[in-house]
Amino acid sequence: MGGNPAWRRATDVLIVAYLLAHGVIALACDVQSILPDFAPGLHARYAALGLVDVVQRWGREQGDFLVLTNPPWFKALIWGELIYQVPSCFVLGAAWARRRPGVWLPALVYAVHVLSTMAPIFFELCADARPTRTCLAVYAVWVALPLVILARCVAAGPTGARLFLRAADDGGRGAQPLGQAKPKVR
């Protein structure tokens, strides 16, 4: 993740976009694995919106048998995603965008949690011939980006003090929230 300020800021934008996308995708798609069991009425609303068809078509066309069969262990991981990861996505996304130093430890825990849940999912998909390369590539995002978050958190030191740019690293601008910059004093 280097000391290059432009590279670090680009990585920050990518992390924020990933976190927000993860939360939205989980609420639109992943939750469908458990809705029929605990909220059939809500599942019917998802069906009326066409969201169920989107997930079913993805499963058929991309060989994602997990979303088609929803084995019990997969549902358990989805519950963990909805209870911990989804709220974390939105809170961490906002905190990361605002460059809040306190995001370091929750982001570290989030990254480890996602990687832990992705291990059995990715193993199951890779051990089967049905998933397409596109399917595997999409799931790989949920391995790659948590690894980036984990790397940034580990590189930030034992207290997370170096997670965001310091004034000396950023041409005197300091660690500003994404999309904002201090006005230059002339």
Side-chain angles (χ1 to χ4, degrees):
M1 304 304 137
N4 180 335
W7 174 252
R8 287 178 62 116
R9 286 183 80 74
T11 304
D12 288 344
V13 170
L14 180 64
I15 288 170
V16 170
Y18 157 79
L19 287 166
L20 298 178
H22 180 183
V24 170
I25 291 168
L27 291 173
C29 301
D30 299 352
V31 71
Q32 292 182 42
S33 293
I34 59 174
L35 277 180
D37 297 335
F38 86 97
L42 186 54
H43 188 258
R45 289 185 187 152
Y46 272 63
L49 292 171
L51 294 172
V52 172
D53 291 338
V54 169
V55 171
Q56 293 298 307
R57 186 172 61 243
W58 159 266
R60 285 189 310 273
E61 292 176 1
Q62 301 304 325
D64 188 348
F65 58 92
L66 293 176
V67 299
L68 295 175
T69 61
N70 293 308
W73 65 266
F74 185 68
K75 289 180 182 182
L77 293 178
I78 298 298
W79 274 109
E81 179 182 28
L82 292 174
I83 291 168
Y84 175 71
Q85 292 176 17
V86 170
S88 295
C89 286
F90 297 115
V91 172
L92 293 174
W96 201 286
R98 290 180 178 86
R99 299 184 180 302
R100 300 286 192 241
V103 75
W104 169 79
L105 186 57
L108 183 69
V109 172
Y110 164 84
V112 170
H113 189 271
V114 173
L115 290 168
S116 298
T117 60
M118 286 305 300
I121 292 170
F122 213 63
F123 175 80
E124 189 76 17
L125 290 170
C126 290
D128 196 286
R130 291 175 281 181
T132 64
R133 287 183 181 156
T134 300
C135 179
L136 296 175
V138 168
Y139 275 93
V141 170
W142 273 261
V143 174
L145 269 296
L147 280 173
V148 170
I149 294 169
L150 181 62
R152 279 287 297 275
C153 290
V154 169
T159 63
R162 296 186 316 263
L163 185 60
F164 299 112
L165 300 172
R166 297 180 309 254
D169 298 331
D170 200 22
R173 287 191 314 248
Q176 293 298 308
L178 295 177
Q180 295 180 11
K182 280 186 181 176
K184 292 184 180 179
V185 178
R186 295 177 196 238

PDB file of all heavy atoms in Angstrom, residues 94-123:
ATOM      1  N   ALA A  94     -18.413   4.689   5.992  1.00  0.00           N
ATOM      2  CA  ALA A  94     -18.509   6.105   6.360  1.00  0.00           C
ATOM      3  C   ALA A  94     -17.279   6.552   7.151  1.00  0.00           C
ATOM      4  O   ALA A  94     -16.726   7.623   6.900  1.00  0.00           O
ATOM      5  CB  ALA A  94     -19.782   6.347   7.171  1.00  0.00           C
ATOM      6  N   ALA A  95     -16.830   5.730   8.087  1.00  0.00           N
ATOM      7  CA  ALA A  95     -15.668   6.094   8.901  1.00  0.00           C
ATOM      8  C   ALA A  95     -14.392   6.132   8.063  1.00  0.00           C
ATOM      9  O   ALA A  95     -13.544   7.009   8.250  1.00  0.00           O
ATOM     10  CB  ALA A  95     -15.512   5.113  10.065  1.00  0.00           C
ATOM     11  N   TRP A  96     -14.261   5.174   7.138  1.00  0.00           N
ATOM     12  CA  TRP A  96     -13.060   5.161   6.281  1.00  0.00           C
ATOM     13  C   TRP A  96     -13.058   6.391   5.374  1.00  0.00           C
ATOM     14  O   TRP A  96     -12.031   7.019   5.178  1.00  0.00           O
ATOM     15  CB  TRP A  96     -13.016   3.873   5.458  1.00  0.00           C
ATOM     16  CG  TRP A  96     -11.642   3.532   4.956  1.00  0.00           C
ATOM     17  CD1 TRP A  96     -10.956   4.136   3.947  1.00  0.00           C
ATOM     18  CD2 TRP A  96     -10.770   2.525   5.462  1.00  0.00           C
ATOM     19  NE1 TRP A  96      -9.721   3.559   3.781  1.00  0.00           N
ATOM     20  CE2 TRP A  96      -9.584   2.562   4.703  1.00  0.00           C
ATOM     21  CE3 TRP A  96     -10.879   1.570   6.471  1.00  0.00           C
ATOM     22  CZ2 TRP A  96      -8.524   1.696   4.910  1.00  0.00           C
ATOM     23  CZ3 TRP A  96      -9.823   0.714   6.687  1.00  0.00           C
ATOM     24  CH2 TRP A  96      -8.658   0.778   5.913  1.00  0.00           C
ATOM     25  N   ALA A  97     -14.219   6.734   4.828  1.00  0.00           N
ATOM     26  CA  ALA A  97     -14.312   7.912   3.952  1.00  0.00           C
ATOM     27  C   ALA A  97     -13.956   9.189   4.720  1.00  0.00           C
ATOM     28  O   ALA A  97     -13.395  10.122   4.150  1.00  0.00           O
ATOM     29  CB  ALA A  97     -15.708   8.028   3.358  1.00  0.00           C
ATOM     30  N   ARG A  98     -14.286   9.229   6.004  1.00  0.00           N
ATOM     31  CA  ARG A  98     -13.973  10.402   6.832  1.00  0.00           C
ATOM     32  C   ARG A  98     -12.600  10.290   7.487  1.00  0.00           C
ATOM     33  O   ARG A  98     -12.223  11.157   8.263  1.00  0.00           O
ATOM     34  CB  ARG A  98     -15.054  10.565   7.895  1.00  0.00           C
ATOM     35  CG  ARG A  98     -16.378  11.003   7.315  1.00  0.00           C
ATOM     36  CD  ARG A  98     -17.420  11.155   8.427  1.00  0.00           C
ATOM     37  NE  ARG A  98     -18.675  11.624   7.899  1.00  0.00           N
ATOM     38  CZ  ARG A  98     -19.625  10.844   7.393  1.00  0.00           C
ATOM     39  NH1 ARG A  98     -19.463   9.544   7.340  1.00  0.00           N
ATOM     40  NH2 ARG A  98     -20.747  11.365   6.932  1.00  0.00           N
ATOM     41  N   ARG A  99     -11.894   9.196   7.193  1.00  0.00           N
ATOM     42  CA  ARG A  99     -10.543   8.955   7.712  1.00  0.00           C
ATOM     43  C   ARG A  99     -10.497   9.012   9.234  1.00  0.00           C
ATOM     44  O   ARG A  99      -9.611   9.622   9.834  1.00  0.00           O
ATOM     45  CB  ARG A  99      -9.550   9.935   7.110  1.00  0.00           C
ATOM     46  CG  ARG A  99      -9.446   9.834   5.608  1.00  0.00           C
ATOM     47  CD  ARG A  99      -8.364  10.761   5.119  1.00  0.00           C
ATOM     48  NE  ARG A  99      -8.148  10.779   3.699  1.00  0.00           N
ATOM     49  CZ  ARG A  99      -7.830   9.750   2.929  1.00  0.00           C
ATOM     50  NH1 ARG A  99      -7.710   8.571   3.430  1.00  0.00           N
ATOM     51  NH2 ARG A  99      -7.630   9.901   1.638  1.00  0.00           N
ATOM     52  N   ARG A 100     -11.437   8.325   9.853  1.00  0.00           N
ATOM     53  CA  ARG A 100     -11.481   8.268  11.312  1.00  0.00           C
ATOM     54  C   ARG A 100     -10.450   7.253  11.800  1.00  0.00           C
ATOM     55  O   ARG A 100     -10.514   6.083  11.442  1.00  0.00           O
ATOM     56  CB  ARG A 100     -12.869   7.855  11.806  1.00  0.00           C
ATOM     57  CG  ARG A 100     -13.967   8.800  11.381  1.00  0.00           C
ATOM     58  CD  ARG A 100     -13.886  10.079  12.191  1.00  0.00           C
ATOM     59  NE  ARG A 100     -15.079  10.868  11.998  1.00  0.00           N
ATOM     60  CZ  ARG A 100     -15.081  12.086  11.490  1.00  0.00           C
ATOM     61  NH1 ARG A 100     -13.967  12.646  11.130  1.00  0.00           N
ATOM     62  NH2 ARG A 100     -16.199  12.734  11.345  1.00  0.00           N
ATOM     63  N   PRO A 101      -9.505   7.667  12.624  1.00  0.00           N
ATOM     64  CA  PRO A 101      -8.464   6.754  13.090  1.00  0.00           C
ATOM     65  C   PRO A 101      -9.029   5.552  13.848  1.00  0.00           C
ATOM     66  O   PRO A 101      -8.455   4.467  13.823  1.00  0.00           O
ATOM     67  CB  PRO A 101      -7.595   7.609  14.012  1.00  0.00           C
ATOM     68  CG  PRO A 101      -7.970   9.018  13.752  1.00  0.00           C
ATOM     69  CD  PRO A 101      -9.329   9.027  13.132  1.00  0.00           C
ATOM     70  N   GLY A 102     -10.154   5.722  14.520  1.00  0.00           N
ATOM     71  CA  GLY A 102     -10.754   4.638  15.288  1.00  0.00           C
ATOM     72  C   GLY A 102     -11.313   3.504  14.445  1.00  0.00           C
ATOM     73  O   GLY A 102     -11.744   2.486  14.986  1.00  0.00           O
ATOM     74  N   VAL A 103     -11.302   3.636  13.125  1.00  0.00           N
ATOM     75  CA  VAL A 103     -11.823   2.596  12.242  1.00  0.00           C
ATOM     76  C   VAL A 103     -10.859   1.416  12.151  1.00  0.00           C
ATOM     77  O   VAL A 103     -11.234   0.339  11.719  1.00  0.00           O
ATOM     78  CB  VAL A 103     -12.143   3.178  10.842  1.00  0.00           C
ATOM     79  CG1 VAL A 103     -10.885   3.426  10.038  1.00  0.00           C
ATOM     80  CG2 VAL A 103     -13.070   2.257  10.073  1.00  0.00           C
ATOM     81  N   TRP A 104      -9.614   1.610  12.583  1.00  0.00           N
ATOM     82  CA  TRP A 104      -8.575   0.607  12.417  1.00  0.00           C
ATOM     83  C   TRP A 104      -8.959  -0.766  12.979  1.00  0.00           C
ATOM     84  O   TRP A 104      -8.951  -1.750  12.256  1.00  0.00           O
ATOM     85  CB  TRP A 104      -7.277   1.116  13.073  1.00  0.00           C
ATOM     86  CG  TRP A 104      -6.213   0.089  13.193  1.00  0.00           C
ATOM     87  CD1 TRP A 104      -5.388  -0.334  12.197  1.00  0.00           C
ATOM     88  CD2 TRP A 104      -5.850  -0.655  14.356  1.00  0.00           C
ATOM     89  NE1 TRP A 104      -4.520  -1.292  12.676  1.00  0.00           N
ATOM     90  CE2 TRP A 104      -4.795  -1.505  14.001  1.00  0.00           C
ATOM     91  CE3 TRP A 104      -6.327  -0.686  15.662  1.00  0.00           C
ATOM     92  CZ2 TRP A 104      -4.193  -2.374  14.898  1.00  0.00           C
ATOM     93  CZ3 TRP A 104      -5.726  -1.545  16.556  1.00  0.00           C
ATOM     94  CH2 TRP A 104      -4.677  -2.375  16.182  1.00  0.00           C
ATOM     95  N   LEU A 105      -9.299  -0.851  14.254  1.00  0.00           N
ATOM     96  CA  LEU A 105      -9.598  -2.150  14.857  1.00  0.00           C
ATOM     97  C   LEU A 105     -10.889  -2.770  14.314  1.00  0.00           C
ATOM     98  O   LEU A 105     -10.892  -3.948  13.946  1.00  0.00           O
ATOM     99  CB  LEU A 105      -9.631  -2.049  16.384  1.00  0.00           C
ATOM    100  CG  LEU A 105      -9.803  -3.382  17.124  1.00  0.00           C
ATOM    101  CD1 LEU A 105      -8.691  -4.370  16.746  1.00  0.00           C
ATOM    102  CD2 LEU A 105      -9.821  -3.138  18.636  1.00  0.00           C
ATOM    103  N   PRO A 106     -12.000  -2.023  14.201  1.00  0.00           N
ATOM    104  CA  PRO A 106     -13.198  -2.630  13.606  1.00  0.00           C
ATOM    105  C   PRO A 106     -12.961  -3.099  12.163  1.00  0.00           C
ATOM    106  O   PRO A 106     -13.489  -4.133  11.751  1.00  0.00           O
ATOM    107  CB  PRO A 106     -14.248  -1.516  13.656  1.00  0.00           C
ATOM    108  CG  PRO A 106     -13.782  -0.600  14.729  1.00  0.00           C
ATOM    109  CD  PRO A 106     -12.284  -0.683  14.728  1.00  0.00           C
ATOM    110  N   ALA A 107     -12.163  -2.362  11.396  1.00  0.00           N
ATOM    111  CA  ALA A 107     -11.866  -2.773  10.020  1.00  0.00           C
ATOM    112  C   ALA A 107     -11.034  -4.046   9.998  1.00  0.00           C
ATOM    113  O   ALA A 107     -11.243  -4.922   9.153  1.00  0.00           O
ATOM    114  CB  ALA A 107     -11.138  -1.648   9.275  1.00  0.00           C
ATOM    115  N   LEU A 108     -10.112  -4.159  10.929  1.00  0.00           N
ATOM    116  CA  LEU A 108      -9.299  -5.369  11.050  1.00  0.00           C
ATOM    117  C   LEU A 108     -10.187  -6.575  11.369  1.00  0.00           C
ATOM    118  O   LEU A 108     -10.078  -7.631  10.729  1.00  0.00           O
ATOM    119  CB  LEU A 108      -8.246  -5.166  12.145  1.00  0.00           C
ATOM    120  CG  LEU A 108      -7.252  -6.281  12.389  1.00  0.00           C
ATOM    121  CD1 LEU A 108      -6.290  -6.400  11.209  1.00  0.00           C
ATOM    122  CD2 LEU A 108      -6.473  -6.015  13.672  1.00  0.00           C
ATOM    123  N   VAL A 109     -11.089  -6.421  12.318  1.00  0.00           N
ATOM    124  CA  VAL A 109     -12.005  -7.507  12.692  1.00  0.00           C
ATOM    125  C   VAL A 109     -12.915  -7.858  11.516  1.00  0.00           C
ATOM    126  O   VAL A 109     -13.128  -9.040  11.211  1.00  0.00           O
ATOM    127  CB  VAL A 109     -12.831  -7.128  13.945  1.00  0.00           C
ATOM    128  CG1 VAL A 109     -13.913  -8.157  14.227  1.00  0.00           C
ATOM    129  CG2 VAL A 109     -11.907  -6.967  15.148  1.00  0.00           C
ATOM    130  N   TYR A 110     -13.447  -6.845  10.840  1.00  0.00           N
ATOM    131  CA  TYR A 110     -14.304  -7.072   9.672  1.00  0.00           C
ATOM    132  C   TYR A 110     -13.561  -7.882   8.609  1.00  0.00           C
ATOM    133  O   TYR A 110     -14.079  -8.860   8.077  1.00  0.00           O
ATOM    134  CB  TYR A 110     -14.775  -5.732   9.086  1.00  0.00           C
ATOM    135  CG  TYR A 110     -15.324  -5.849   7.683  1.00  0.00           C
ATOM    136  CD1 TYR A 110     -16.650  -6.209   7.467  1.00  0.00           C
ATOM    137  CD2 TYR A 110     -14.508  -5.643   6.575  1.00  0.00           C
ATOM    138  CE1 TYR A 110     -17.153  -6.341   6.182  1.00  0.00           C
ATOM    139  CE2 TYR A 110     -14.996  -5.774   5.293  1.00  0.00           C
ATOM    140  CZ  TYR A 110     -16.322  -6.120   5.100  1.00  0.00           C
ATOM    141  OH  TYR A 110     -16.796  -6.274   3.822  1.00  0.00           O
ATOM    142  N   ALA A 111     -12.337  -7.471   8.278  1.00  0.00           N
ATOM    143  CA  ALA A 111     -11.575  -8.145   7.227  1.00  0.00           C
ATOM    144  C   ALA A 111     -11.331  -9.606   7.582  1.00  0.00           C
ATOM    145  O   ALA A 111     -11.501 -10.499   6.739  1.00  0.00           O
ATOM    146  CB  ALA A 111     -10.247  -7.423   6.989  1.00  0.00           C
ATOM    147  N   VAL A 112     -10.958  -9.865   8.819  1.00  0.00           N
ATOM    148  CA  VAL A 112     -10.710 -11.245   9.249  1.00  0.00           C
ATOM    149  C   VAL A 112     -12.013 -12.051   9.210  1.00  0.00           C
ATOM    150  O   VAL A 112     -12.021 -13.212   8.792  1.00  0.00           O
ATOM    151  CB  VAL A 112     -10.060 -11.268  10.654  1.00  0.00           C
ATOM    152  CG1 VAL A 112     -10.023 -12.675  11.224  1.00  0.00           C
ATOM    153  CG2 VAL A 112      -8.664 -10.672  10.586  1.00  0.00           C
ATOM    154  N   HIS A 113     -13.111 -11.439   9.612  1.00  0.00           N
ATOM    155  CA  HIS A 113     -14.403 -12.143   9.591  1.00  0.00           C
ATOM    156  C   HIS A 113     -14.799 -12.512   8.163  1.00  0.00           C
ATOM    157  O   HIS A 113     -15.207 -13.650   7.888  1.00  0.00           O
ATOM    158  CB  HIS A 113     -15.484 -11.283  10.248  1.00  0.00           C
ATOM    159  CG  HIS A 113     -16.770 -12.004  10.464  1.00  0.00           C
ATOM    160  ND1 HIS A 113     -17.766 -12.047   9.519  1.00  0.00           N
ATOM    161  CD2 HIS A 113     -17.209 -12.735  11.507  1.00  0.00           C
ATOM    162  CE1 HIS A 113     -18.781 -12.762   9.983  1.00  0.00           C
ATOM    163  NE2 HIS A 113     -18.472 -13.194  11.186  1.00  0.00           N
ATOM    164  N   VAL A 114     -14.687 -11.569   7.248  1.00  0.00           N
ATOM    165  CA  VAL A 114     -15.048 -11.848   5.854  1.00  0.00           C
ATOM    166  C   VAL A 114     -14.148 -12.942   5.289  1.00  0.00           C
ATOM    167  O   VAL A 114     -14.626 -13.885   4.644  1.00  0.00           O
ATOM    168  CB  VAL A 114     -14.987 -10.576   4.979  1.00  0.00           C
ATOM    169  CG1 VAL A 114     -15.195 -10.919   3.509  1.00  0.00           C
ATOM    170  CG2 VAL A 114     -16.027  -9.569   5.434  1.00  0.00           C
ATOM    171  N   LEU A 115     -12.852 -12.840   5.526  1.00  0.00           N
ATOM    172  CA  LEU A 115     -11.927 -13.858   5.015  1.00  0.00           C
ATOM    173  C   LEU A 115     -12.230 -15.231   5.617  1.00  0.00           C
ATOM    174  O   LEU A 115     -12.139 -16.252   4.919  1.00  0.00           O
ATOM    175  CB  LEU A 115     -10.484 -13.453   5.287  1.00  0.00           C
ATOM    176  CG  LEU A 115      -9.997 -12.269   4.454  1.00  0.00           C
ATOM    177  CD1 LEU A 115      -8.677 -11.746   4.994  1.00  0.00           C
ATOM    178  CD2 LEU A 115      -9.886 -12.640   2.986  1.00  0.00           C
ATOM    179  N   SER A 116     -12.612 -15.263   6.884  1.00  0.00           N
ATOM    180  CA  SER A 116     -12.955 -16.539   7.526  1.00  0.00           C
ATOM    181  C   SER A 116     -14.212 -17.157   6.923  1.00  0.00           C
ATOM    182  O   SER A 116     -14.289 -18.371   6.756  1.00  0.00           O
ATOM    183  CB  SER A 116     -13.160 -16.336   9.032  1.00  0.00           C
ATOM    184  OG  SER A 116     -11.967 -15.890   9.626  1.00  0.00           O
ATOM    185  N   THR A 117     -15.192 -16.327   6.599  1.00  0.00           N
ATOM    186  CA  THR A 117     -16.413 -16.864   6.003  1.00  0.00           C
ATOM    187  C   THR A 117     -16.205 -17.227   4.539  1.00  0.00           C
ATOM    188  O   THR A 117     -16.848 -18.137   4.024  1.00  0.00           O
ATOM    189  CB  THR A 117     -17.601 -15.879   6.128  1.00  0.00           C
ATOM    190  OG1 THR A 117     -17.283 -14.669   5.457  1.00  0.00           O
ATOM    191  CG2 THR A 117     -17.942 -15.609   7.571  1.00  0.00           C
ATOM    192  N   MET A 118     -15.303 -16.529   3.879  1.00  0.00           N
ATOM    193  CA  MET A 118     -15.056 -16.821   2.465  1.00  0.00           C
ATOM    194  C   MET A 118     -14.244 -18.094   2.257  1.00  0.00           C
ATOM    195  O   MET A 118     -14.300 -18.695   1.178  1.00  0.00           O
ATOM    196  CB  MET A 118     -14.367 -15.638   1.783  1.00  0.00           C
ATOM    197  CG  MET A 118     -15.295 -14.469   1.532  1.00  0.00           C
ATOM    198  SD  MET A 118     -16.780 -14.903   0.601  1.00  0.00           S
ATOM    199  CE  MET A 118     -16.085 -15.514  -0.921  1.00  0.00           C
ATOM    200  N   ALA A 119     -13.489 -18.519   3.260  1.00  0.00           N
ATOM    201  CA  ALA A 119     -12.665 -19.722   3.098  1.00  0.00           C
ATOM    202  C   ALA A 119     -13.501 -20.944   2.711  1.00  0.00           C
ATOM    203  O   ALA A 119     -13.227 -21.577   1.684  1.00  0.00           O
ATOM    204  CB  ALA A 119     -11.841 -19.970   4.359  1.00  0.00           C
ATOM    205  N   PRO A 120     -14.548 -21.309   3.459  1.00  0.00           N
ATOM    206  CA  PRO A 120     -15.329 -22.480   3.044  1.00  0.00           C
ATOM    207  C   PRO A 120     -16.118 -22.249   1.752  1.00  0.00           C
ATOM    208  O   PRO A 120     -16.285 -23.168   0.949  1.00  0.00           O
ATOM    209  CB  PRO A 120     -16.258 -22.749   4.228  1.00  0.00           C
ATOM    210  CG  PRO A 120     -16.329 -21.470   4.981  1.00  0.00           C
ATOM    211  CD  PRO A 120     -15.017 -20.771   4.746  1.00  0.00           C
ATOM    212  N   ILE A 121     -16.596 -21.024   1.552  1.00  0.00           N
ATOM    213  CA  ILE A 121     -17.355 -20.734   0.334  1.00  0.00           C
ATOM    214  C   ILE A 121     -16.461 -20.886  -0.890  1.00  0.00           C
ATOM    215  O   ILE A 121     -16.808 -21.575  -1.853  1.00  0.00           O
ATOM    216  CB  ILE A 121     -17.959 -19.312   0.391  1.00  0.00           C
ATOM    217  CG1 ILE A 121     -19.047 -19.245   1.460  1.00  0.00           C
ATOM    218  CG2 ILE A 121     -18.504 -18.886  -0.966  1.00  0.00           C
ATOM    219  CD1 ILE A 121     -19.545 -17.841   1.767  1.00  0.00           C
ATOM    220  N   PHE A 122     -15.298 -20.254  -0.849  1.00  0.00           N
ATOM    221  CA  PHE A 122     -14.395 -20.298  -2.001  1.00  0.00           C
ATOM    222  C   PHE A 122     -13.867 -21.711  -2.228  1.00  0.00           C
ATOM    223  O   PHE A 122     -13.744 -22.161  -3.370  1.00  0.00           O
ATOM    224  CB  PHE A 122     -13.255 -19.293  -1.802  1.00  0.00           C
ATOM    225  CG  PHE A 122     -12.772 -18.686  -3.083  1.00  0.00           C
ATOM    226  CD1 PHE A 122     -13.609 -17.900  -3.857  1.00  0.00           C
ATOM    227  CD2 PHE A 122     -11.475 -18.895  -3.517  1.00  0.00           C
ATOM    228  CE1 PHE A 122     -13.165 -17.340  -5.045  1.00  0.00           C
ATOM    229  CE2 PHE A 122     -11.022 -18.336  -4.701  1.00  0.00           C
ATOM    230  CZ  PHE A 122     -11.875 -17.566  -5.461  1.00  0.00           C
ATOM    231  N   PHE A 123     -13.575 -22.433  -1.148  1.00  0.00           N
ATOM    232  CA  PHE A 123     -13.120 -23.818  -1.289  1.00  0.00           C
ATOM    233  C   PHE A 123     -14.189 -24.656  -1.981  1.00  0.00           C
ATOM    234  O   PHE A 123     -13.908 -25.417  -2.906  1.00  0.00           O
ATOM    235  CB  PHE A 123     -12.771 -24.435   0.069  1.00  0.00           C
ATOM    236  CG  PHE A 123     -12.421 -25.886  -0.039  1.00  0.00           C
ATOM    237  CD1 PHE A 123     -11.155 -26.275  -0.456  1.00  0.00           C
ATOM    238  CD2 PHE A 123     -13.358 -26.870   0.240  1.00  0.00           C
ATOM    239  CE1 PHE A 123     -10.830 -27.620  -0.582  1.00  0.00           C
ATOM    240  CE2 PHE A 123     -13.051 -28.213   0.112  1.00  0.00           C
ATOM    241  CZ  PHE A 123     -11.775 -28.594  -0.302  1.00  0.00           C
TER     242      PHE A 123
END
